[in-house]
């Protein structure tokens, strides 16, 4: 399979990928292996950093830095490594026949910045009748009635906040609402 080689890992990424169980993150590592920047993060913030994926749940957002476990939930669910270019492309819904070109960094950028093809298709199908009517005055049958996303999380859980934002010293409260 093309573009399916694992990236070299930093020491911290290697420790995390060898230690964490599926669904665990940086909070499950001992403090002595974490760099100082992690000690400044509130325990309930940044919950996807250094996170091992679970194979029974959807993944988190794929970014351009999916080769670095310290930047998100990119540790493979069962292997001691981050996800590969091809795995990230699959998670973004690119078919295996699609070949990216460029360096690994350029390919990560292409994958991480992409609108997932299946999402683009669903949106295009949903707006097709309106576009045809607006642009050409042609009435066409909808390809689909709606775009439904079943993420398996209740609205209450999506909106649950873990803690209030702290007001920076010397900044008026109104500035936080901006």
């Amino acid at each position: 399979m093309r573009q399916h080689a694992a990236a070299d890992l930093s020491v911290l990424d290697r420790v995390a990928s060898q230690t964490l169980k599926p669904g665990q993150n940086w909070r499950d590592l001992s403090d002595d292996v974490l760099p100082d920047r992690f000690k400044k993060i509130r325990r309930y913030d940044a919950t996807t950093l250094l996170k091992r994926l679970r194979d029974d749940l959807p993944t988190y957002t794929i970014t351009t830095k999916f080769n670095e476990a310290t930047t998100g939930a990119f540790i493979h669910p069962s292997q001691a490594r981050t996800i590969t270019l091809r795995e990230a492309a699959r998670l973004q819904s690119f078919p295996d026949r699609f070949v990216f070109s460029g360096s690994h960094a350029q390919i990560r950028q292409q994958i991480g910045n992409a609108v997932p093809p299946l999402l683009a298709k669903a949106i295009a199908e949903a707006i097709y009748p309106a576009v045809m009517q607006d642009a050409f005055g042609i009435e066409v049958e909808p390809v689909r009635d709606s775009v439904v996303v079943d993420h398996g999380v209740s609205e209450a859980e999506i909106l649950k906040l873990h803690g209030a934002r702290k007001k920076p010293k010397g900044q008026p409260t109104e500035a936080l609402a901006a």
Side-chain angles (χ1 to χ4, degrees):
M1 183 180 305
R2 295 187 69 160
Q3 301 171 330
H4 189 56
D8 292 331
L9 298 178
S10 69
V11 173
L12 178 57
D13 288 358
R14 188 173 296 107
V15 168
S17 68
Q18 293 171 345
T19 307
L20 297 174
K21 294 176 177 49
Q24 290 184 324
N25 64 21
W26 67 275
R27 296 177 300 180
D28 299 295
L29 294 171
S30 64
D31 286 341
D32 61 313
V33 300
L34 294 172
D36 288 340
R37 70 184 178 99
F38 278 83
K39 295 173 183 144
K40 297 174 186 171
I41 301 172
R42 294 181 295 192
R43 301 297 287 173
Y44 51 83
D45 282 346
T47 58
T48 60
L49 296 183
L50 277 171
K51 185 164 188 155
R52 180 178 289 282
L53 295 170
R54 289 180 48 173
D55 59 9
D56 62 336
L57 292 176
T59 61
Y60 295 85
T61 302
I62 299 297
T63 68
T64 61
K65 298 284 192 175
F66 59 83
N67 62 314
E68 300 173 20
T70 55
T71 63
F74 305 126
I75 300 174
H76 189 276
S78 61
Q79 298 177 21
R81 61 178 178 79
T82 54
I83 58 175
T84 66
L85 297 170
R86 181 54 48 197
E87 289 165 339
R90 280 182 173 180
L91 292 170
Q92 287 282 68
S93 78
F94 283 96
D96 285 346
R97 69 181 180 279
F98 192 94
V99 179
F100 297 90
S101 62
S103 68
H104 284 193
Q106 290 169 328
I107 294 170
R108 281 192 308 274
Q109 204 165 21
Q110 292 166 38
I111 295 168
N113 286 336
V115 173
L118 292 181
L119 175 61
K121 180 181 181 211
I123 292 170
E125 289 173 350
I127 66 171
Y128 176 67
V131 170
M132 292 303 288
Q133 181 64 44
D134 261 11
F136 306 106
I138 300 171
E139 215 164 295
V140 296
E141 288 295 313
V143 177
R144 61 174 66 228
D145 292 331
S146 61
V147 177
V148 177
V149 178
D150 180 15
H151 44 69
V153 179
S154 72
E155 289 295 317
E157 287 297 312
I158 289 173
L159 300 175
K160 186 190 287 184
L161 298 175
H162 293 286
R165 286 174 55 184
K166 287 185 178 176
K167 180 182 137 199
K169 290 180 181 171
Q171 186 176 12
T173 306
E174 300 80 50
L176 292 176

